[in-house]
Coordinates of all heavy atoms in Angstrom, one line a residue:
M1 N 39.0 -102.7 -91.2 CA 39.2 -104.0 -90.5 C 38.6 -103.9 -89.1 O 38.8 -102.9 -88.4 CB 40.7 -104.3 -90.4 CG 41.0 -105.7 -89.7 SD 42.7 -106.0 -89.6 CE 42.7 -107.5 -88.7
A30 N 45.0 -99.4 -77.6 CA 46.0 -100.0 -76.7 C 45.3 -100.4 -75.4 O 44.4 -99.7 -75.0 CB 47.1 -98.9 -76.4
E97 N 34.3 -103.3 -61.9 CA 33.9 -102.5 -60.8 C 35.1 -101.8 -60.1 O 35.0 -100.6 -59.8 CB 33.2 -103.4 -59.8 CG 32.8 -102.7 -58.5 CD 32.4 -103.7 -57.4 OE1 32.7 -104.9 -57.5 OE2 31.8 -103.3 -56.4
V169 N 61.1 -86.8 -41.7 CA 61.7 -88.0 -42.4 C 61.0 -88.3 -43.7 O 61.7 -88.5 -44.7 CB 61.7 -89.2 -41.5 CG1 62.2 -90.5 -42.2 CG2 62.6 -89.0 -40.2
R439 N 27.1 -90.3 -21.5 CA 27.6 -88.9 -21.8 C 28.1 -88.9 -23.2 O 28.7 -89.8 -23.7 CB 28.6 -88.5 -20.8 CG 28.1 -88.0 -19.5 CD 27.6 -89.1 -18.5 NE 27.3 -88.6 -17.2 CZ 28.1 -88.5 -16.2 NH1 29.3 -88.9 -16.3 NH2 27.6 -88.0 -15.0

Side-chain angles (χ1 to χ4, degrees):
M1 180 180 176
E97 178 192 15
V169 171
R439 279 74 177 266

